[in-house]
Amino acid sequence: MDDLTYDLKQLCRRNKDGGAMTQAQRMHSLASIARQLKEMGFCNMRATSLKGTHVDALLERWQAEKLSVGTIKNRLSHLRYWAQKISKAGIIPADNAKLGIPQRQYAGSGSKARDLDGARLDRVTDAHVHMSLRLQQAFGLRREESIKFQPAYADRGDHIALKGSWCKGGRERTVPITTAEQRAVLGQAHALAGSGSLIPAHKSYIQQRHVYDGQCKAASLSAMHGLRHAYAQTRYEALTGWKPPAAGGPAVRELSPEQCAVDAEARQQISRELGHERIQVTSVYLGR
């Protein structure tokens, strides 16, 4: 392991921002960036050596490799993390547009919403995985959030509170409890987990995640992120009174000015509930 890779791994271990998955992805990305810098002739670097010339060279390489806008933005976020931790945040503009990175296009074709097929869900034999999947469907949780979920902490009566350590980017959030089904699922989660989480006491998060993945594969349950899409679409209809474009509802351009205002407010609300900072991301779930 060269000096730069070692430094970056140590930097990540000292600054554990975000959840376990975020930390692992960041460390892997920075190790790859260190390798690429060495391949481009930047040898004998340490973590504190980062300069604007290195950022420019990496960006030029990624664009030449025709990486997607999303991939480049993710790698830039890891570079910003690196720069921030060595007190050099100013070497990378906060606005990606200043680096020539276009806005990501979020609207997709068709709906990616998924429902839990009762027969296949019955094939999930691990009670904790079974409950995690039901929480994903009821509250639009990510996989990591549903595995780390602690009902005794999260249940606040009219909403659930998610710890930053469970969430992508370490951003804590709340999700309202609006249906009897959500309350029923929470009651069952309480009964299963007690004062703990949906990770059995003798397992680590990573071990339980492997169990989750294996159980889903054995039950032919795929693309479970689609449960978040289904949650978003159901919430949209509840908030607006009509289906979103991704579920066959009217496109935004077909709405009246009054309906556009309702649409914008609903998308903002759903964006917060899903844990996204940008309202544009809702187009992935709801369509345009």
Side-chain angles (χ1 to χ4, degrees):
M1 184 185 302
D2 61 28
D3 290 338
L4 179 57
T5 303
Y6 175 80
D7 283 357
L8 292 175
K9 286 184 179 293
Q10 292 300 112
L11 184 147
C12 289
R13 290 179 179 130
R14 289 194 304 269
N15 301 277
K16 297 187 176 183
D17 301 3
M21 180 67 71
T22 299
Q23 293 175 38
Q25 291 173 341
R26 182 190 297 128
M27 184 177 291
H28 181 269
S29 177
L30 288 175
S32 176
I33 287 171
R35 175 180 54 77
Q36 292 178 341
L37 285 167
K38 187 174 182 180
E39 290 172 353
M40 291 186 292
F42 297 107
C43 301
N44 303 316
M45 284 186 65
R46 305 301 298 250
T48 54
S49 304
L50 184 65
K51 297 178 181 177
T53 53
H54 302 126
V55 176
D56 292 341
L58 286 165
L59 187 56
E60 183 178 348
R61 171 174 175 154
W62 297 338
Q63 291 174 325
E65 291 175 350
K66 300 188 184 305
L67 299 183
S68 70
V69 171
T71 296
I72 293 176
K73 286 188 174 183
N74 286 338
R75 293 188 181 183
L76 282 171
S77 73
H78 298 146
L79 276 176
R80 288 190 178 97
Y81 166 91
W82 174 4
Q84 180 187 43
K85 299 310 178 186
I86 60 170
S87 301
K88 290 185 177 181
I91 67 173
I92 309 176
D95 185 355
N96 284 323
K98 293 182 178 179
L99 295 170
I101 308 299
Q103 288 291 322
R104 195 180 335 192
Q105 298 300 310
Y106 288 104
S109 58
S111 174
K112 296 180 181 178
R114 295 288 181 273
D115 196 4
L116 283 176
D117 181 283
R120 284 185 291 176
L121 182 60
D122 288 342
R123 298 179 203 164
V124 176
T125 57
D126 184 278
H128 292 82
V129 173
H130 193 283
M131 185 54 62
S132 290
L133 286 165
R134 293 191 62 201
L135 285 166
Q136 283 183 264
Q137 177 173 253
F139 293 99
L141 305 186
R142 298 181 177 94
R143 177 182 60 177
E144 181 172 350
E145 295 163 354
S146 72
I147 293 173
K148 292 181 175 180
F149 193 81
Q150 298 172 8
Y153 171 87
D155 189 353
R156 304 300 174 89
D158 64 347
H159 69 276
I160 60 170
L162 305 179
K163 293 183 181 181
S165 59
W166 307 348
C167 303
K168 184 176 181 180
R171 296 186 293 271
E172 61 183 28
R173 72 179 190 279
T174 62
V175 182
I177 300 171
T178 60
T179 69
E181 179 188 2
Q182 288 175 318
R183 175 47 61 192
V185 170
L186 271 179
Q188 293 162 11
H190 276 290
L192 176 63
S195 61
S197 73
L198 291 181
I199 302 172
H202 62 284
K203 285 189 172 73
S204 67
Y205 162 68
I206 295 298
Q207 289 172 327
Q208 183 62 13
R209 194 186 75 201
H210 289 324
V211 174
Y212 173 104
D213 292 341
Q215 290 266 306
C216 287
K217 182 176 181 180
S220 299
L221 290 169
S222 61
M224 287 298 94
H225 193 76
L227 296 175
R228 276 166 63 80
H229 289 254
Y231 172 85
Q233 292 173 18
T234 299
R235 280 292 284 152
Y236 181 91
E237 186 171 1
L239 291 168
T240 65
W242 60 85
K243 293 183 181 296
V252 173
R253 64 180 179 276
E254 299 170 352
L255 302 178
S256 68
E258 293 78 11
Q259 289 175 319
C260 281
V262 174
D263 169 86
E265 186 175 346
R267 287 174 184 269
Q268 187 65 63
Q269 174 68 25
I270 292 166
S271 178
R272 289 193 296 266
E273 292 177 18
L274 293 177
H276 288 294
E277 295 180 345
R278 293 161 294 176
I279 190 173
Q280 297 96 322
V281 179
T282 59
S283 296
V284 171
Y285 301 92
L286 303 172
R288 293 295 296 179

